[in-house]
């Protein structure tokens, strides 16, 4: 081997080492808690991912009018159909087409052990109270000790009375006035005496867990390619035309997946 060849091999070896060192220095090391610890989602159903056949996910903004509509016409009917959940507040089944025996379809069911149903929050910047509402949900969950029914009570309350936190209603209010409105109309009726107004203000004004969770959920949604609400995922796949679906369409899809895996 000539001297020139030796020098070439040595140079190549040195360059490879330098590239390896640069790549190592640029490697991103995750910091902070895992995303699962930052999610402020509402979830019902199978808590064991390996046994879940269908994971249905909705990304909603609590102050988005389209999301309020889908909450009434999609969320509630699906929760009742699959989990018999909150049936006393579900009164809008008119979106079910080709259904000659509604009572048969809406039969009482035990919590389905093949389905996980999740509602994630994506506070959009064009809605004045979008982030405040997502942050408030996290506070509700904290003080209610993540009680599923109490948290859903808040969701139902804010989606049913969403006009109170609309841009039109809030455009002339300052931040403190908005916080007072949210506390009076949504937090206090949901939690009662579990949290005072002063405690709520302290939570909202500090860079607390609720702030981090609301911000993280926005980042989580954008990391999945989302740019608005509502959006729907089934088993991790974005159903791009999901906004056009009726509850019966979702039921047909979900039941079809379950049936196909049980054959």
């Amino acid at each position: 081997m000539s001297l020139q060849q030796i020098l070439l091999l040595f140079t190549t070896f040195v360059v490879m080492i330098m590239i390896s060192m640069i790549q190592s220095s640029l490697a991103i090391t995750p910091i902070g808690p895992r995303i699962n610890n930052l999610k402020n989602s509402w979830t019902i159903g199978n808590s064991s991912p390996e046994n879940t056949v269908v994971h249905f996910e909705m990304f909603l903004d609590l102050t988005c009018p389209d999301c309020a509509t889908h909450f009434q016409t999609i969320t509630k009917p699906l929760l009742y159909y699959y989990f018999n959940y909150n049936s006393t507040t579900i009164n809008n089944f008119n979106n079910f087409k080709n259904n000659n025996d509604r009572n048969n379809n809406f039969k009482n069911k035990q919590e389905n052990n093949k389905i996980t149903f999740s509602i994630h929050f994506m506070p959009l910047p064009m809605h004045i109270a979008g982030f405040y509402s997502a942050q408030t949900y996290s506070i509700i969950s904290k003080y209610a000790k993540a009680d599923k029914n109490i948290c859903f009570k808040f969701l139902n309350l804010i989606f049913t009375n969403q006009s109170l936190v609309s841009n039109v209603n809030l455009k002339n209010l300052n931040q403190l006035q908005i916080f007072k409105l949210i506390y009076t109309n949504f937090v206090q009726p949901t939690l009662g005496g579990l949290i005072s107004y002063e405690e709520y203000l302290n939570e909202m004004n500090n860079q607390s867990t609720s702030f981090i969770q609301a911000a993280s959920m926005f980042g989580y949604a954008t990391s999945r390619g989302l740019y608005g609400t509502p959006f729907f995922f089934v088993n991790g796949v974005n159903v791009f035309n999901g906004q056009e679906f009726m509850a019966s369409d979702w039921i047909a899809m979900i039941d079809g997946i379950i049936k196909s895996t049980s054959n």
Side-chain angles (χ1 to χ4, degrees), residues 179-203:
F179 288 172
K180 181 67 174 180
L181 183 151
I182 294 175
Y183 177 83
T184 302
N185 292 281
F186 304 114
V187 178
Q188 202 282 330
T190 301
L191 290 178
L194 292 179
I195 181 173
S196 67
Y197 178 56
E198 290 70 26
E199 289 172 318
Y200 174 70
L201 277 184
N202 183 61
E203 292 277 359

Side-chain angles (χ1 to χ4, degrees), residues 62-205:
L62 293 170
T63 57
C64 165
D66 287 339
C67 292
T69 298
H70 281 78
F71 183 80
Q72 302 297 338
T73 61
I74 302 297
T75 305
K76 285 184 176 181
L78 291 188
L79 289 176
Y80 182 61
Y81 181 84
Y82 288 108
F83 306 105
N84 193 30
Y85 188 81
N86 204 38
S87 58
T88 58
T89 66
I90 301 172
N91 53 21
N92 187 351
F93 301 130
N94 294 327
N95 57 321
F96 278 77
K97 57 184 179 180
N98 301 324
N99 180 8
N100 297 320
D101 189 359
R102 184 173 298 171
N103 290 329
N104 182 57
N105 276 343
F106 287 102
K107 56 189 176 183
N108 292 337
K109 294 188 176 185
Q110 297 297 319
E111 183 163 302
N112 197 312
N113 61 3
K114 296 182 179 179
I115 300 173
T116 301
F117 187 106
S118 299
I119 301 174
H120 308 304
F121 306 108
M122 183 183 187
L124 299 175
M126 71 281 289
H127 296 142
I128 296 172
F131 190 87
Y132 299 150
S133 299
Q135 188 178 355
T136 298
Y137 175 85
S138 184
I139 296 170
I140 295 284
S141 181
K142 173 184 175 180
Y143 280 81
K145 301 185 185 304
D147 185 283
K148 188 180 304 179
N149 297 322
I150 294 177
C151 292
F152 191 83
K153 180 181 178 181
F154 170 75
L155 297 181
N156 187 54
L157 192 63
I158 197 167
F159 276 127
T160 303
N161 302 278
Q162 194 187 68
S163 61
L164 292 172
V165 286
S166 66
N167 285 357
V168 172
N169 196 49
L170 302 180
K171 63 181 180 180
N172 295 320
L173 302 184
N174 60 38
Q175 186 185 66
L176 192 60
Q177 290 171 322
I178 294 174
F179 288 172
K180 181 67 174 180
L181 183 151
I182 294 175
Y183 177 83
T184 302
N185 292 281
F186 304 114
V187 178
Q188 202 282 330
T190 301
L191 290 178
L194 292 179
I195 181 173
S196 67
Y197 178 56
E198 290 70 26
E199 289 172 318
Y200 174 70
L201 277 184
N202 183 61
E203 292 277 359
M204 294 294 286
N205 287 323

Side-chain angles (χ1 to χ4, degrees), residues 7-38:
L7 289 175
L8 179 61
L9 286 173
F10 177 77
T11 302
T12 303
F13 178 71
V14 171
V15 170
M16 290 177 64
I17 292 177
M18 291 179 65
I19 292 175
S20 178
M21 292 175 63
I22 292 173
Q23 288 177 336
S24 298
S25 67
L26 293 177
I28 299 175
T29 302
I31 59 174
R34 295 178 180 273
I35 184 63
N36 286 339
N37 296 328
L38 295 175

